[in-house]
Amino acid sequence: SSTAHNDLGTVYRSLLETRGEQLKLSIEVEKKFNLCYERYSNYVEIFRSVFYDDQSVIRELGLDRYRNSSISVGSFITRAAQFYEAASRKGHVMDKITEQLGLTPDLFTQEIAAIEELEENARVHRATRGESQRLTQERNVVLKDLQLHMKRLKALLKIALQGENPQTLERLG
């Protein structure tokens, strides 16, 4: 009983710490995602407007494809990274972006770094969520063991208290 109680306390402490970390990471990922998504959406809107008549630039940047407004973090990371890499690549697209908008490859390199940071935070968040699930399963096993132990203890106490001899409880341990 004492061991199960200590295990349960340890598991609960670990679970609470992990869930706290998971919540903190979830908020951080959401903030970074929203910020990155807003900047990305602004660039997409600007580039579609400025290069409307130049389909080669639109295709090169991947802006000719349908874009779902509801997007997961993973899908966004892939899409945004491809967009920024295409925008920063040396050649006629980058030349046109610099010429018409005054944007340089360094700006897109910074955006790629922000996307990579978002990707790492999302990876850590997924790992923390997995650890939280594992600890929840461990807690459930410990609780089940504790319930079984309590059931056995109740049965022993019932037997001990029904006997005529008060020393029966002592003999049962």
Side-chain angles (χ1 to χ4, degrees), residues 159-171:
I159 292 168
L161 294 175
Q162 285 179 356
E164 300 217 4
N165 187 351
Q167 282 74 34
T168 305
L169 184 59
E170 263 183 55
R171 282 196 309 253

Side-chain angles (χ1 to χ4, degrees), residues 13-118:
R13 274 189 296 284
S14 296
L15 184 58
L16 286 173
E17 287 173 13
T18 302
R19 285 196 177 158
E21 183 66 18
Q22 182 185 355
L23 179 61
K24 185 178 97 179
L25 287 168
S26 181
I27 291 168
E28 189 175 318
V29 167
E30 185 176 350
K31 280 182 184 177
K32 285 184 190 222
F33 171 77
N34 289 336
L35 182 64
C36 288
Y37 188 79
E38 183 180 336
R39 288 194 313 250
Y40 165 79
S41 295
N42 287 338
Y43 285 124
V44 166
E45 189 177 320
I46 291 167
F47 284 22
R48 278 189 174 151
S49 296
V50 171
F51 298 113
Y52 178 76
D53 291 338
D54 192 340
Q55 288 302 303
S56 67
V57 173
I58 296 292
R59 268 192 309 283
E60 180 99 15
L61 295 174
L63 301 179
D64 57 337
R65 292 178 240 134
Y66 171 74
R67 297 199 182 279
N68 188 349
S69 60
S70 173
I71 187 169
S72 70
V73 173
S75 296
F76 168 73
I77 288 170
T78 301
R79 182 185 299 169
Q82 289 170 350
F83 170 77
Y84 289 128
E85 286 168 9
S88 64
R89 210 173 294 129
K90 298 263 187 255
H92 84 280
V93 173
M94 187 66 243
D95 293 343
K96 287 184 179 196
I97 291 171
T98 302
E99 177 187 314
Q100 292 188 22
L101 298 171
L103 304 176
T104 64
D106 291 341
L107 174 75
F108 300 114
T109 301
Q110 291 171 5
E111 293 298 338
I112 290 169
I115 295 296
E116 288 171 350
E117 185 179 337
L118 172 62

